[in-house]
């Protein structure tokens, strides 16, 4: 189903980041957040006496499961809490995860540079082996195979880090 919410830009960004970093669809992020009924009820109780400011909110439509939307609507009406505020509050609970993921992203970037340097040294070693031995030599063949696998791993690491760049600009709230 499609559901439209009025959320802060930071909340929308957080949903996108979580989806990208975890390799899941945004719908799955909503499902995980909305189907935790106890956490959703706690969020609703917190919001019972809070006024939800609607300024600086962006209208955004998300695909969300019928079950998640049902939970959200039920808890929203039971506790007289705006759906948008419940979503916002639920996402806010995940901000520490994003902060931790940002730290890990920086560590991954550092390791990626070291891995890349290591790969270059491996290519140099392969060239030396090719010069010293015949092209059909078993050592050269095994080293070529290893370097091919290493290249694939390095490409995947680089791709993962590239996808994670979205987290670098995230400011949160």
């Amino acid at each position: 189903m499609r559901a439209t919410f009025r959320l802060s830009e930071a909340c929308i960004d957080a949903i996108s980041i979580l989806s990208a970093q975890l390799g899941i669809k945004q719908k799955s992020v909503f499902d995980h957040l909305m189907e935790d009924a106890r956490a959703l009820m706690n969020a609703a109780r917190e919001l019972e006496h809070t006024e939800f400011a609607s300024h600086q909110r962006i209208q955004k439509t998300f695909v969300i499961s019928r079950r998640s939307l049902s939970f959200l609507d039920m808890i929203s009406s039971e506790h007289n809490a705006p759906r948008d505020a419940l979503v916002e509050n639920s996402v806010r609970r995940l901000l520490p995860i994003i902060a931790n993921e940002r730290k890990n992203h920086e560590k991954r970037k550092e390791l990626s540079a070291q891995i890349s340097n290591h790969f270059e040294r491996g290519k140099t070693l392969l060239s030396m082996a090719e010069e010293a031995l015949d092209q059909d030599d078993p050592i050269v063949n095994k080293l070529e195979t290893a370097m091919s696998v290493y290249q694939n791993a390095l490409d995947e690491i680089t791709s993962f880090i590239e996808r994670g760049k979205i987290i670098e600009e995230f400011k949160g709230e």
Side-chain angles (χ1 to χ4, degrees):
M1 300 191 73
R2 295 187 185 278
T4 301
F5 303 100
R6 292 189 58 79
L7 304 171
S8 68
E9 186 175 351
C11 181
I12 293 168
D13 289 347
I15 293 167
S16 297
I17 287 169
L18 286 167
S19 173
Q21 287 299 106
L22 299 174
I24 60 176
K25 295 179 180 177
Q26 289 182 353
K27 177 186 176 295
S28 297
V29 172
F30 272 100
D31 288 347
H32 289 298
L33 290 173
M34 298 306 123
E35 291 181 7
D36 185 352
R38 187 178 331 152
L40 207 51
M41 280 190 250
N42 288 339
R45 283 189 205 104
E46 288 175 24
L47 293 168
E48 282 180 344
H49 304 292
T50 305
E51 195 166 314
F52 185 61
S54 62
H55 67 287
Q56 296 183 342
R57 303 282 172 195
I58 299 168
Q59 187 169 320
K60 176 93 168 128
T61 300
F62 293 95
V63 173
I64 183 171
S65 72
R66 185 178 307 267
R67 179 182 162 120
S68 294
L69 188 57
S70 174
F71 275 136
L72 182 61
D73 286 340
M74 178 187 71
I75 291 171
S76 174
S77 63
E78 278 180 15
H79 295 276
N80 198 27
R83 277 185 351 172
D84 299 344
L86 284 173
V87 170
E88 190 94 26
N89 199 311
S90 295
V91 171
R92 193 173 293 125
R93 289 187 348 234
L94 300 176
L95 293 179
I97 294 169
I98 294 173
N100 188 50
E101 198 55 31
R102 183 185 293 149
K103 289 176 189 171
N104 286 340
H105 177 72
E106 290 304 317
K107 292 174 188 173
R108 288 182 193 116
K109 284 178 17 181
E110 291 170 14
L111 285 169
S112 175
Q114 292 177 21
I115 292 167
S116 185
N117 290 337
H118 188 256
F119 177 73
E120 290 303 318
R121 289 193 308 271
K123 285 181 13 182
T124 301
L125 182 60
L126 175 58
S127 293
M128 289 171 43
E130 289 172 337
E131 286 178 21
L133 303 167
D134 292 336
Q135 188 68 24
D136 296 338
D137 192 88
I139 298 288
V140 172
N141 290 335
K142 293 292 182 192
L143 195 50
E144 283 176 339
T145 301
M147 291 307 297
S148 176
V149 170
Y150 204 150
Q151 177 71 62
N152 290 338
L154 182 58
D155 291 345
E156 289 178 23
I157 289 168
T158 302
S159 175
F160 183 79
I161 289 172
E162 197 61 36
R163 280 194 322 266
K165 282 190 175 181
I166 188 173
I167 204 166
E168 293 175 17
E169 287 88 34
F170 181 70
K171 296 185 184 22
E173 288 186 277

